[in-house]
Each structure stands twice: as structure tokens, then as C-alpha cells.
Amino acid sequence: MFAGRGRPLKIQKSMKQSIFTILENKRLAPSVFRMELVGDTSQITAPGQFVNIRLEGRFLRRPISVCDKAEDRLVLIYKVVGHGTQQLSEMAPGTQLDLLTGLGNGYDLSKCGEKPLLIGGGAGVPPMYWLCRELIALGKEVTVILGFNTAEEVFYEAEFAALGARTIVMTADGSYGRKGFVTDGMTALEKECGFAGKDAQQSDCAGSSADTFYSYIYTCGPMPMFRAINQVARTSGQFSFEERMGCGFGACMGCSCKTITGYKRICKDGPVLEREEILW
Amino acid sequence: MVSEVSRAAGRDAATHQSDTGFHADTTVTLSGWELDNPVIPASGTFGFGKEFAELYDINCLGTFSFKGTTLHPRFGNPTPRIAECTAGMINSVGLQNPGVDEVLAVQLPKLQSYFHKKVIANVSGFSVEEYAETVRRLDECDQIGLFEVNVSCPNVHGGGISFGTSPEAAAEVTAAVRKVTRRPVYIKLTPNVTDIASIAKACEDAGADGISLINTLLGMRIDLKTKRPVIANKMGGFSGPAVFPVALRMVYQVYEAVKIPIMGMGGVSSAEDVIEMMLAGAAAVQIGAANLTDPYICRDIVAALPKTMEQYGITSLREIIGAAHRN
């Protein structure tokens, strides 16, 4: 009865609020948990999107990136960084959660050429998983570099390898995998694998480089890691940003950032930005 | 019983009859503008409504107050701009907006495709001239029902002190805006003052048609890990359910000081809060921070109002405005 005197509403719907039920919530690393939920995942359409979780007693929702989804299942891997995520980590299976889903743009899979390189740093590792799975399903030759501070923080190495990705783990202190940052891993792989050379030239991806083993970069992690990657990257790529958010769906301008093409809301126009539009 | 024919005509969207035959009239009037209900999303928490229109038909609202608009485009403050608090949040967005010309050329034409009521134009400025020029340009747009002038901004010509903290400066803005539009002008007041009633009175005397209050309360948080302020700008505006009693008290005080209508806001997050705000003296009620945490809240409050009115024996919302002042 409020439908506005017969004029149709021209609005593209992308987000959805619904109730999910926790199926499993287990520790993967000292402060990292994996939560599997069941609910309406219909609006979750791209790797790199996030959900915003309402928590009892907390005023703001908690934005968490989607690690994986399949039909009505949703996997979230989150790091305990404060009271809200602590509360999340203590929730038992069967608990119901109010989620806003379908938030953020997610990664664009169409630009990556044949040999995408996925780089996840710490809490930035989870969104790489669904992305990796999708890219492998598209027949891509995927390399994954996962960066952690130390051995006990490492998670999901076997899961990425099981998808069929070449998986390299870097630890800053050298206590597991290779010693160094993710960019050290990039440099080492360039030496070991030689250049993609001819293969990359043949790929139809714009911005791919003939000089290295990868045709495109997808990454999620902290800003210092992004800056380091940008210093050594030989191709174009997509970077997923984190910011303190108010609403998470584009209303409050709490998480805006400046880009080459003007301001963008990390929650709505991001969190994924292209390398060329980022103000480094 | 309201007939289906009259419902379809849209006019009776605001009269509700319950199963028990209780008749609830949710209509209110702001300076001659009749609203189906007093529920109005507050500026800065609702953008231009598009994100919420993805979730529900926002035409169920009384109206909404659009994102604070300035003469020139503004990026606003550095991030982090948001900090969580107990029962609320701090924001320091800094009036990010594309500027009045783009609002007129892009946002308002777009709005017509999903919102068919008139809207409240929220305007900010950093000089008296900027306020007047922004309102003058917006005044050409038929979609605007009234102006809400945010006087919480710092006056760049007055040593950076907020216009809203001095009766003289608030009156000066009011008078300047009053001259450039025939539409109603509501002045949105900051609560960060010692005597809000005197500022409201100064605005009324300068020709304001109404008062909006309260804007956010100045607050801050410090991160125990970094030992630095959470917000990049150190301080920001505190809002959310925690501020409701303060807002209610100020609406009550301003109602005693002025005769013009009041839009009450500050921590409102339920139909009960709306009614309480109206009892204190609000002719309409805005909902701010709650939109960010529950995007359906305004729709749900609109839906809950008739039942809540019945529960408290209120047949007409407009009749309870300021009822708490009666002896």
C-alpha cells in the first residue's frame, strides 16, 4: 500500500538480512577460528564479499569476509581481535546469528589471465580460499602465497593445496615454511620458476607481464603488505581492504577512502580495489 | 474499516484499525506538511535512501533527511571515522558529500525512482554565505519538503567555533537562510552547549519555522593496545541509545522555550522511544544511529506504532505532542 502510486521501484537488490545457524565453530590457530553456518546464502555472489554480524550487547555489527560458500553453507574464518570477535569465538553450534549478506563488491575473476597469484596475509588468508576454488574450477593455474608471523599462526595450507593450488607458506620468523614476507616468496618464486614468458604473452589478460610466473595478483591483508606487494608487482591486481565500518552497506560514509577515480566506500564500492585506482 | 479503494489511493496509509477496532492516527504535520507518520531517518545515517530501498520500500517512512550537503564537494575526515561504544557509537565522517550541484544533478533525480514523497534537505556550511547559497540552489528542487540547517559546523570566519554554540551566530545563519527560500526552515542544534533553549529561542526569533535536535554529543575513545585515540580526528559525535535521555531532556527544554515545531532525535530506536520523544514535545522524530546496526529499524517502528499507540491508549499521535508538559 506504500508502493508509491503505481510507479515501479527501480532498485537493484544485492544485500539481505537473514538468520543463520552455527553448525561448527572451532579453533584453527591460537586466535583464529573457523565457523560454519547454514542459512540463505543467495545474495553472496562473489569471493571477497563479506557478511556483517549482529552480536548481542554490541552496538555495531562485525564485518567478516566470506571464506567459502556452497548452497546453504557459509564458512567464515575470523581472528579474535576484540570483545566482539571474542564473543563470536565462544558461540556454540546451534546458536542463531543475524547476518547481513551480499556486502561488498568481491573479486572480479574475469581479468586474471591463466596464472593468477593469490596472496593472503594473516587474517587476509580466508577470502583467498573461495577465490582459489573458483579460479581452479575455471581451469586456472593458481599459485597461493600465505603469509604469517610465526608457525603457530599458520592455517589452511593443506586446504589450499588440496584444491590443487601451488601453495607457499611464508613466516616472518622462519619457524615454518619459508622465512620472510610474502614479497620474499614472490621474489624467490620468480627465481625458481623462471619467467612465464611466452605463456603470459599468449594470455588475453590486460596488464599481464611477460617477465614473471604469474599473470595477475589477488590479495587481502594489511596495508604494509599491500605496499610491499605494490613495490614488486609486475602485473595488475586486486587488493581487498579493511577499514572500521559503521553500517557495512554504504549508508554512513564511515569507511570512505580516496582513490584515483574519486572517493569510494570500502564497504560498498570495495572492499576490493584495483591496483591502478589505489592512491599508493 | 478503511476501504481497499482508499488504501490504494494512498491517503489512508496513516490510519490504522486494529482487530479490536482501535483506530490509530499516526499522521503529523511539520509546518503545513502532513506526514503519514512521524518516523524520519536522520541525516547522515540514511544517505539518499538507496541502500535501504534495496531492503524495503522506503515510502512507508514519514520522510527522511538526506545526507548533509555543502556548497562544495567534501571528502571529509581521515579514517578511522568510527568507534564503537556501549549502547552507541562515535562517528567523525566530516560531512563527506558530493556538493550541492551534484546532489541536484544526480542524487535527487535518482531518488525520484524509488522515493515518491518529499524529502528533508539537510544543509551545512562553513560561512553564513555558504549556508544561504546552498539552500538557494536546492530551493529550485520540487522534491524538497523543508530545509534542515545543521549549525554544528565550525565557522571558518569565526575562529572555527560552531555556529550552533552561540545564539547570535545561529540566528545569523537562520536569518540568511530564511531570506532565500519560501520553504520551511528547521535549524538542527548541537547539544554541546550550556543552554540549548536560548539558542533555539534565538533561531525562532530569527525566523526559523522549526527546530531539530539533538545532533551528536562530542565524545572520544582510546585504544588500549595502541594507546592512541581510535578516531583519526581524535574526537567525534556520539550517538545511539545511550544518548536518548539527554536528547529527550533537551527536546523537553526547547519545547518550553519555543512555539515552533520540534523534530526530536537522539538514540531513538523503538516505537516507544518515538512516543516518549513526542510526549516531550517533538512533532516528528528522527532515527539515526539505529539505522546502521538494524537497517530495517525505521520500517519496523512504522509498523509497530499503531499497536504501541493502542497499548498506551493513544488514538492520535499529533495530540500527544508535548503532553508531558501538562499539569
Side-chain angles (χ1 to χ4, degrees):
Chain A
M1 71 180 163
F2 297 121
R5 281 123 233 190
R7 271 179 290 177
L9 299 170
K10 295 173 205 147
I11 279 284
Q12 196 185 353
K13 293 179 192 241
S14 60
M15 68 167 161
K16 186 180 183 79
Q17 181 192 29
S18 57
I19 302 297
F20 280 67
T21 305
I22 299 173
L23 295 175
E24 188 182 80
N25 192 16
K26 66 173 188 192
R27 189 186 296 266
L28 292 183
S31 63
V32 177
F33 289 76
R34 178 186 185 277
M35 181 181 279
E36 190 168 338
L37 305 103
V38 61
D40 181 352
T41 60
S42 60
Q43 296 301 315
I44 303 172
T45 53
Q49 288 188 319
F50 65 96
V51 299
N52 216 359
I53 307 176
R54 194 162 199 192
L55 293 172
E56 189 67 35
R58 309 282 165 207
F59 188 70
L60 295 174
R61 288 172 183 262
R62 295 300 189 273
I64 307 282
S65 65
V66 171
C67 173
D68 199 11
K69 80 142 203 177
E71 296 177 353
D72 61 351
R73 301 296 174 89
L74 172 66
V75 176
L76 306 174
I77 293 180
Y78 57 94
K79 187 175 181 183
V80 173
V81 292
H83 298 298
T85 39
Q86 177 67 37
Q87 195 173 329
L88 205 58
S89 74
E90 290 160 3
M91 288 179 172
T95 306
Q96 295 199 314
L97 284 175
D98 170 347
L99 265 64
L100 279 174
T101 61
L103 304 178
N105 57 354
Y107 292 105
D108 180 347
L109 279 61
S110 70
K111 299 181 173 177
C112 68
E114 292 309 307
K115 296 186 170 183
L117 168 63
L118 278 52
I119 307 170
V125 167
M128 291 297 125
Y129 182 77
W130 182 20
L131 176 65
C132 182
R133 195 165 64 73
E134 291 290 335
L135 290 171
I136 282 171
L138 290 169
K140 309 294 183 187
E141 193 181 309
V142 181
T143 302
V144 178
I145 301 178
L146 307 177
F148 300 95
N149 289 312
T150 186
E152 67 170 9
E153 292 180 6
V154 176
F155 63 89
Y156 254 46
E157 179 190 18
E159 284 79 357
F160 278 98
L163 290 175
R166 171 166 57 175
T167 306
I168 313 293
V169 174
M170 306 295 299
T171 51
D173 64 0
S175 56
Y176 187 88
R178 304 185 188 206
K179 182 172 166 43
F181 298 118
V182 294
T183 41
D184 296 319
M186 290 169 76
T187 313
L189 280 178
E190 284 197 346
K191 283 185 187 148
E192 289 162 30
C193 309
F195 298 151
K198 197 163 135 239
D199 185 50
Q201 280 178 323
Q202 280 170 348
S203 80
D204 56 1
C205 88
S208 78
S209 166
D211 299 324
T212 190
F213 66 96
Y214 58 91
S215 55
Y216 199 75
I217 293 171
Y218 291 104
T219 181
C220 183
M223 196 60 203
M225 185 186 94
F226 284 178
R227 289 208 180 91
I229 291 171
N230 185 53
Q231 292 290 314
V232 301
R234 297 181 190 273
T235 70
S236 186
Q238 294 170 33
F239 294 67
S240 183
F241 284 77
E242 191 174 43
E243 186 53 83
R244 277 179 183 266
M245 293 177 186
C247 62
F249 53 87
C252 74
M253 306 290 162
C255 62
S256 298
C257 70
K258 285 178 182 163
T259 70
I260 298 280
T261 52
Y263 82 79
K264 291 206 167 187
R265 299 162 293 182
I266 292 297
C267 70
K268 184 79 174 179
D269 310 309
V272 178
L273 301 180
E274 301 211 11
R275 186 183 176 200
E276 290 71 24
E277 66 182 329
I278 297 164
L279 285 168
W280 295 101
Chain B
M1 197 59 194
V2 179
S3 78
E4 286 307 309
V5 176
S6 62
R7 270 182 193 276
R11 175 57 191 81
D12 288 309
T15 55
H16 311 265
Q17 194 167 350
S18 75
D19 305 339
T20 56
F22 186 85
H23 197 84
D25 179 4
T26 58
T27 60
V28 295
T29 305
L30 289 174
S31 307
W33 177 17
E34 182 164 311
L35 306 179
D36 292 334
N37 61 67
V39 178
I40 303 172
S43 180
T45 64
F46 209 73
F48 282 80
K50 186 173 162 292
E51 290 75 23
F52 295 85
E54 284 186 26
L55 292 172
Y56 66 92
D57 182 356
I58 62 171
N59 290 285
C60 69
L61 304 168
T63 181
F64 74 90
S65 182
F66 70 53
K67 173 69 187 163
T69 296
T70 52
L71 187 56
H72 305 294
R74 284 178 56 83
F75 173 70
N77 294 332
T79 56
R81 298 174 169 182
I82 304 287
E84 191 181 47
C85 309
T86 304
M89 63 182 284
I90 294 172
N91 87 82
S92 165
V93 171
L95 292 170
Q96 178 178 340
N97 80 96
V100 66
D101 292 337
E102 191 181 312
V103 166
L104 279 167
V106 181
Q107 307 291 350
L108 287 167
K110 249 194 243 172
L111 175 64
Q112 278 184 311
S113 68
Y114 55 87
F115 191 61
H116 314 306
K117 296 181 174 181
K118 287 187 193 262
V119 70
I120 295 175
N122 185 287
V123 171
S124 281
F126 297 85
S127 70
V128 173
E129 296 73 29
E130 258 187 65
Y131 278 107
E133 181 59 18
T134 308
V135 169
R136 193 186 63 75
R137 292 192 195 179
L138 283 168
D139 197 44
E140 71 187 49
C141 177
D142 292 338
Q143 290 163 266
I144 292 167
L146 63 80
F147 286 99
E148 181 179 62
V149 180
N150 171 16
V151 291
S152 303
C153 326
N155 177 2
V156 292
H157 300 312
I161 295 166
S162 159
F163 287 97
T165 56
S166 131
E168 293 77 22
E172 203 186 338
V173 173
T174 307
V177 169
R178 181 63 289 162
K179 275 187 212 144
V180 295
T181 177
R182 283 173 290 109
R183 290 190 171 82
V185 172
Y186 282 51
I187 307 297
K188 183 169 177 179
L189 300 183
T190 169
N192 303 310
V193 295
T194 42
D195 181 12
I196 198 160
S198 66
I199 293 164
K201 186 75 176 71
C203 294
E204 181 181 41
D205 292 344
D209 300 281
I211 301 290
S212 277
L213 76 155
I214 61 174
N215 208 317
T216 53
L217 291 143
L218 194 62
M220 79 181 290
R221 295 302 307 269
I222 295 170
D223 186 322
L224 298 191
K225 287 179 193 157
T226 64
K227 298 170 180 63
R228 303 290 307 149
V230 173
I231 300 262
N233 243 18
K234 299 186 177 71
M235 296 168 206
F238 178 43
S239 60
V243 312
F244 180 73
V246 178
L248 188 80
R249 179 267 293 180
M250 289 190 161
V251 167
Y252 188 93
Q253 287 177 318
V254 168
Y255 183 82
E256 299 210 321
V258 301
K259 294 183 179 68
I260 51 180
I262 297 165
M263 276 192 276
M265 74 202 76
V268 175
S269 43
S270 67
E272 284 84 354
D273 291 348
V274 168
I275 290 172
E276 197 172 339
M277 211 37 122
M278 294 186 77
L279 290 168
V285 179
Q286 296 192 6
I287 289 101
N291 288 304
L292 307 184
T293 177
D294 178 0
Y296 288 101
I297 191 131
C298 286
R299 179 200 68 175
D300 292 348
I301 290 175
V302 169
L305 266 175
K307 263 212 150 91
T308 312
M309 289 166 68
E310 181 175 10
Q311 192 183 339
Y312 294 100
I314 299 163
T315 53
S316 164
L317 280 184
R318 65 177 76 225
E319 284 169 13
I320 65 162
I321 300 167
H325 296 263
R326 289 171 203 153
N327 291 319

